């Protein structure tokens, strides 16, 4: 084993340090495997109930009327998420698009949208109109209110109660911290928040931005009262095989409006050819619980490696996981660059390129990114990125297999050691 790792560029010291850290993580890994086993059964039950067969993998083109593969996949998704309906389409281009469809379909002029968990994901700022944009919800007369989290990251129930008014139509809850420093929420916490909001206003609808959270736990927010759960297929539920797509699962009345918004009033879910993507969508969903387990093991391994070396990690080395993202505060530009070069060097694709910080549009500092993915931009595949500014944190996520995630983390450590930024403890 040491030999093959050394062939890949991992020194004996780094490998052995990794093994020492790993030896203490077996109980954590067992728990992750049990969750994956449960979720694998959930996905299998949904596929069996809906009698998935080879005809569902056929490609359709044009209008896509009577696309049985597409319609059945939506039944499978609805059963996995325990919802009345689902919209799962390659025509949904990304997570932001799925969230935009869900919001704009279920909010009308004069309505108010409330986020009870602080600021939403960056790309939603223009969707909502927090940052001015053409075609924002704001432009269509939909207002936005926000209740911030308390300093300790918990829900500010008083502020939320005060923010809910007679115009509050939809409440949006983001499960994952995304690229913020707040904690991610457990499904149980989200369930409590949904109950609270509905106790204040029983007819309010709740949408959960489920990105990065699918299959991390046994329950999904739709099991605890969410009217819609929304996410991207180039994250968890696409299992690394879906090359594009998004999903919205939820109440029939909400999902139907989403379909009317995505295509056209009157057409709804009836149109939208599958373009030959059904094998990837079905098989990706089938693999997703296992893929998510691998990514989670990588995140836990990274937190334990880096925390022991003195770098603050969110979540920390021992906390439960509610999404697949791991933040590691490295403290300097040089360390961020070395870390990302290690992740890149471990990739199956583009392993020979060297990531450099660059001035990415929309950011106020340079950004560094490492990704060597089969699907461009896929973040269920091993990837790392972060803005080059204090506290110099990298956000790292994914890994289609645990072994690849492990190699990526060992390579990041190797590059930090080679740059003289860390000295491994001797044991
Ligand atoms: C990834 C993500 C999105 C959507 O991002 P896309 O890049 O458009 O797919 C939205 N919210 C959260 C929390 C995310 O992680």
């Amino acid at each position: 084993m040491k030999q093959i790792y050394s062939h890949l560029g991992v020194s004996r010291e780094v490998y052995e340090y990794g093994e020492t850290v790993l030896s203490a993580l077996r109980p954590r890994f067992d728990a992750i495997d049990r969750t994956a086993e449960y979720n694998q059964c959930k996905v299998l039950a949904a596929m069996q109930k809906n009698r998935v067969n080879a005809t569902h993998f056929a490609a359709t083109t044009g209008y896509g009327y009577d696309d049985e593969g597409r319609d059945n996949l939506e039944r499978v998704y609805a059963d996995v998420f325990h919802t009345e309906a689902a919209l799962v389409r390659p025509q949904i281009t990304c997570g932001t698009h799925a969230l935009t469809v869900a919001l704009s379909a279920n909010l009308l002029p004069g309505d108010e949208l409330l986020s009870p968990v602080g600021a939403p994901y960056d790309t939603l700022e223009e969707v909502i109109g927090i940052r001015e944009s053409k075609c924002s919800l704001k432009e269509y007369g939909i207002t936005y209110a926000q209740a911030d989290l308390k300093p300790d990251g918990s829900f500010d129930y008083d502020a939320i109660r005060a923010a809910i008014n007679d115009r509050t139509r939809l409440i949006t809850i983001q499960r994952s911290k995304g690229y913020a420093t707040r904690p991610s929420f457990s499904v149980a916490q989200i369930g409590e928040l949904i109950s609270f909001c509905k106790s204040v206003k029983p007819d309010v609808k709740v949408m959960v931005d489920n990105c990065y959270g699918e299959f991390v736990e046994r329950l999904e927010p739709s099991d605890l009262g969410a009217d819609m759960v929304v996410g991207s297929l180039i994250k968890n539920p696409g299992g690394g095989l879906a090359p594009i797509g998004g999903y919205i699962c939820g109440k029939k009345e909400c999902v139907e409006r989403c379909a009317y918004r995505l295509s056209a009033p009157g057409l709804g879910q009836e149109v939208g050819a599958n373009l030959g993507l059904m094998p990837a969508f079905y098989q990706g969903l089938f693999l997703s619980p296992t893929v998510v387990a691998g990514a989670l093991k990588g995140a836990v391994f990274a937190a334990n490696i880096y925390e022991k070396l003195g770098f603050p990690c969110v979540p920390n080395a021992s906390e439960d996981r509610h999404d697949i993202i791991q933040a590691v505060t490295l403290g300097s530009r040089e360390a961020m660059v070395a870390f990302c070069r290690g992740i890149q060097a471990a990739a199956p694709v583009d392993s020979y390129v060297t990531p450099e910080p660059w001035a990415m549009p929309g950011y106020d500092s340079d950004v560094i990114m490492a990704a060597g993915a089969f699907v461009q931009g896929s973040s269920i595949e091993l990837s790392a990125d972060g803005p080059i500014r204090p506290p110099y944190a990298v956000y790292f996520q994914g890994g289609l297999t645990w072994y690849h995630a492990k190699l990526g983390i060992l390579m990041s450590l190797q590059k930090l050691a080679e740059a003289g930024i860390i000295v491994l403890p001797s044991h």
Side-chain angles (χ1 to χ4, degrees), residues 94-97 99 121 123 174 176 178 209 211-212 232 235 325:
C94 61
T96 305
H97 187 193
L99 290 158
Y121 194 73
T123 55
Q174 185 180 310
S176 167
D209 174 351
C211 284
Y212 287 133
S232 163
K235 293 179 180 172
I325 298 181

Side-chain angles (χ1 to χ4, degrees), residues 155-176:
F155 305 131
D156 188 341
Y157 285 113
D158 291 336
I160 296 166
R161 188 187 294 105
I164 296 175
N165 60 54
D166 55 356
R167 292 196 302 110
T168 310
R169 167 83 70 127
L170 188 69
I171 290 179
T172 178
I173 300 173
Q174 185 180 310
R175 179 170 173 182
S176 167

Side-chain angles (χ1 to χ4, degrees), residues 82-107:
H82 302 128
T83 56
E84 295 170 3
L87 184 66
V88 186
R89 300 288 168 125
Q91 286 81 14
I92 301 178
T93 57
C94 61
T96 305
H97 187 193
L99 290 158
T100 302
V101 168
L103 291 170
S104 51
N106 287 283
L107 287 158

Side-chain angles (χ1 to χ4, degrees), residues 102-156:
L103 291 170
S104 51
N106 287 283
L107 287 158
L108 292 173
D111 288 343
E112 186 157 278
L113 169 69
L114 168 67
S115 169
V117 295
Y121 194 73
D122 280 39
T123 55
L124 290 180
E125 290 185 352
E126 276 177 89
V127 173
I128 294 167
I130 300 170
R131 271 187 287 139
E132 292 290 330
S133 175
K134 290 188 282 287
C135 299
S136 67
L137 294 176
K138 187 178 168 191
E139 233 191 33
Y140 287 89
I142 295 153
T143 58
Y144 171 71
Q146 181 175 308
D148 287 330
L149 296 169
K150 290 188 177 168
D152 67 356
S154 63
F155 305 131
D156 188 341

Side-chain angles (χ1 to χ4, degrees), residues 81 140 181 207 220 344 386 391:
F81 287 91
Y140 287 89
T181 45
M207 178 193 87
E220 298 291 338
Q344 189 74 37

Side-chain angles (χ1 to χ4, degrees), residues 151-359:
D152 67 356
S154 63
F155 305 131
D156 188 341
Y157 285 113
D158 291 336
I160 296 166
R161 188 187 294 105
I164 296 175
N165 60 54
D166 55 356
R167 292 196 302 110
T168 310
R169 167 83 70 127
L170 188 69
I171 290 179
T172 178
I173 300 173
Q174 185 180 310
R175 179 170 173 182
S176 167
K177 65 179 164 303
Y179 300 124
T181 45
R182 71 159 170 89
S184 295
F185 305 123
S186 69
V187 174
Q189 282 175 300
I190 291 172
E192 277 172 36
L193 180 55
I194 294 171
S195 302
F196 176 80
C197 293
K198 295 208 171 193
S199 75
V200 177
K201 187 168 188 187
D203 63 343
V204 77
K205 295 278 185 287
V206 178
M207 178 193 87
V208 174
D209 174 351
N210 212 22
C211 284
Y212 287 133
E214 299 92 348
F215 301 130
V216 171
E217 299 182 38
R218 294 181 189 201
L219 293 180
E220 298 291 338
S222 41
D223 291 311
L224 296 181
D227 299 284
M228 288 183 282
V229 288
V230 182
S232 163
L233 297 196
I234 64 165
K235 293 179 180 172
N236 305 13
L241 294 185
I244 191 170
Y247 77 89
I248 300 167
C249 296
K251 295 264 165 60
K252 190 162 178 286
E253 51 172 320
C254 297
V255 173
E256 218 163 57
R257 292 192 66 92
C258 294
Y260 273 41
R261 181 79 289 155
L262 178 67
S263 61
L267 301 183
Q269 277 172 283
E270 306 287 330
V271 296
N274 74 49
L275 306 173
L277 293 170
M278 285 301 116
F281 282 17
Y282 278 99
Q283 199 175 353
L285 178 65
F286 171 74
L287 290 175
S288 176
T290 311
V291 170
V292 168
L296 284 171
K297 288 175 187 176
V300 170
F301 184 52
N304 280 270
I305 290 257
Y306 280 101
E307 200 171 86
K308 280 188 181 63
L309 293 170
F311 299 102
C313 292
V314 180
N316 70 27
S318 55
E319 275 174 285
D320 278 345
R321 304 272 144 173
H322 307 306
D323 63 20
I324 63 168
I325 298 181
Q326 182 63 51
V328 182
T329 299
L330 292 166
S332 74
R333 175 190 176 98
E334 295 66 39
M336 285 181 76
V337 170
F339 184 101
C340 287
R341 288 187 176 166
I343 297 293
Q344 189 74 37
V349 179
D350 294 334
S351 62
Y352 52 87
V353 307
T354 306
E356 296 281 357
W358 64 300

